[in-house]
């Protein structure tokens, strides 16, 4: 399947590589989907030079966070560089966007006036390609996230199964209702189709045959553990292939920083010939 036409941006600002730390690139674009400026942090490994179609892994943050969270709370760039240096995963780019900064969290879904879904699926990969010479419209694209970001990563894999080579979630919210309880603003501006409100319904709607490889995990002390177990059981009942794991830990950065390795190794299996 040919990649969709890449969005163009009225304006794009890219940080000076001589000043940014540890392979990080900071980007601000004028987003048509959001009708405002929006930010993302990219990680480009030392091994990127000479590549043309490096894989891109979208990493989505949770409620209250922003584009810098995966790097500066979870050390995602250091984890990726360490695994690349060790030869455990191939060179890849991490694209870590903000969710659009609506209230306490946008859910990465379509709202009445802003399309946070299209920001992630179309505009963030295009911004990564504009900012990183080693990426292109032919770069394999994977998606992963934590909590609200896990909800989005798994749900968007169901909404756009042909766009992603793999999808993963850590400590994922599995229903929009899990997020509404955490967000101060009224969420009635969110779309309310079953596929917008439920990971299981989004994946069911895509059909088992068309979905990319899926993986998700949850801590055994996490309040979302029952929801993740229910999602696992629901996918099994539908015959949708997936990997599911439980590990000691709670709903916190110690857990997510540790188990990002699992996601990156999982993605590597899907993008390595």
């Amino acid at each position: 399947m040919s990649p969709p036409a890449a969005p163009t941006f009225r304006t794009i600002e890219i940080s000076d590589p001589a000043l940014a730390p540890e392979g990080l690139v900071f980007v601000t674009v004028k987003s048509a989907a959001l009708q405002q400026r929006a930010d993302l942090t990219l990680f480009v490994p030392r091994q990127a030079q000479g590549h043309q179609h490096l894989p891109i892994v979208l990493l989505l943050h949770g409620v209250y966070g922003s584009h810098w969270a995966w790097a500066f709370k979870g050390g995602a760039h250091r984890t990726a560089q360490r695994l690349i240096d060790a030869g455990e995963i191939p060179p890849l780019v991490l694209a870590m966007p903000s969710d659009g900064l609506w209230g306490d969290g946008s859910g990465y879904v379509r709202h009445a006036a802003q399309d946070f879904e299209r920001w992630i699926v179309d505009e963030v990969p295009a911004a990564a390609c504009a900012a990183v010479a080693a990426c292109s419209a032919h770069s394999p694209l994977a998606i992963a996230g934590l909590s609200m970001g896990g909800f989005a990563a798994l749900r968007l894999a169901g909404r756009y199964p042909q766009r992603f080579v793999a999808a993963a979630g850590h400590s994922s919210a599995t229903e929009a209702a899990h997020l509404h309880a955490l967000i101060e603003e009224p969420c009635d501006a969110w779309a309310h189709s079953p596929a917008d409100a439920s990971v299981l319904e989004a994946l069911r709607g895509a059909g088992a045959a068309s979905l990319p490889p899926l993986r998700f995990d949850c801590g055994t002390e996490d309040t979302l553990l029952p929801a993740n177990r229910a999602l696992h059981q629901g996918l099994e009942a539908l015959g949708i292939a997936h990997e599911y794991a439980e590990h000691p830990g709670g709903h916190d950065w110690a857990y997510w920083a540790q188990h990002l390795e699992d996601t990156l190794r999982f993605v590597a299996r899907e993008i390595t010939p």
Side-chain angles (χ1 to χ4, degrees):
M1 180 178 178
S2 299
T8 57
F9 302 103
R10 180 177 178 273
T11 60
I12 180 168
E13 291 288 322
I14 303 171
S15 61
D16 184 337
L19 302 175
E22 299 183 86
L24 295 177
V25 180
F26 305 96
V27 182
T28 299
V29 299
K30 183 73 175 292
S31 162
L34 305 184
Q35 302 177 55
Q36 65 184 46
R37 286 172 295 142
D39 296 321
L40 61 149
T41 296
L42 301 168
F43 165 68
V44 183
R46 290 189 288 269
Q47 295 85 347
Q49 189 171 0
H51 288 269
Q52 293 182 311
H53 312 297
L54 274 190
I56 301 169
V57 181
L58 304 179
L59 285 184
L60 309 182
H61 64 78
V63 294
Y64 317 138
S66 191
H67 65 101
W68 54 267
W70 266 110
F72 294 122
K73 297 191 81 171
H77 56 307
R78 295 177 178 176
T79 297
Q81 187 66 70
R82 174 169 51 81
L83 293 176
I84 293 167
D85 288 345
E88 297 183 39
I89 64 173
L92 49 77
V93 168
L94 302 181
M96 300 170 278
S98 78
D99 70 322
L101 302 182
W102 181 88
D104 284 326
S106 71
Y108 302 93
V109 301
R110 295 167 295 171
H111 292 206
Q114 294 175 289
D115 193 341
F116 299 95
E117 187 172 292
R118 184 158 64 91
W119 157 240
I120 296 301
V121 174
D122 293 335
E123 292 186 327
V124 170
C129 292
V132 180
C135 293
S136 78
H138 297 282
S139 292
L141 184 65
I143 188 168
L146 63 89
S147 193
M148 178 179 73
F151 170 80
L154 297 173
R155 193 186 67 82
L156 292 174
R159 292 270 293 136
Y160 303 92
Q162 303 305 318
R163 293 282 280 125
F164 300 109
V165 298
H170 301 289
S171 314
S172 303
T174 63
E175 305 285 339
H178 298 149
L179 305 175
H180 296 175
L182 302 172
I183 294 170
E184 178 184 33
E185 292 76 17
C187 297
D188 52 5
W190 294 20
H192 292 293
S193 73
D196 286 337
S198 164
V199 169
L200 185 62
E201 290 305 315
L203 296 174
R204 185 204 304 269
S210 66
L211 287 167
L214 304 171
R215 182 191 184 279
F216 59 105
D217 60 56
C218 195
T220 52
E221 288 76 56
D222 195 318
T223 57
L224 287 173
L225 181 61
N228 279 260
R229 287 176 172 172
L231 177 60
H232 168 54
Q233 293 163 2
L235 293 175
E236 285 193 324
L238 293 171
I240 294 176
H242 63 286
E243 297 179 20
Y244 174 62
E246 296 177 5
H247 306 285
H251 200 83
D252 53 43
W253 278 104
Y255 180 89
W256 302 321
Q258 178 181 358
H259 292 289
L260 175 62
E261 292 191 16
D262 302 330
T263 283
L264 294 179
R265 291 190 179 98
F266 166 71
V267 169
R269 295 202 304 269
E270 303 305 324
I271 59 179
T272 303

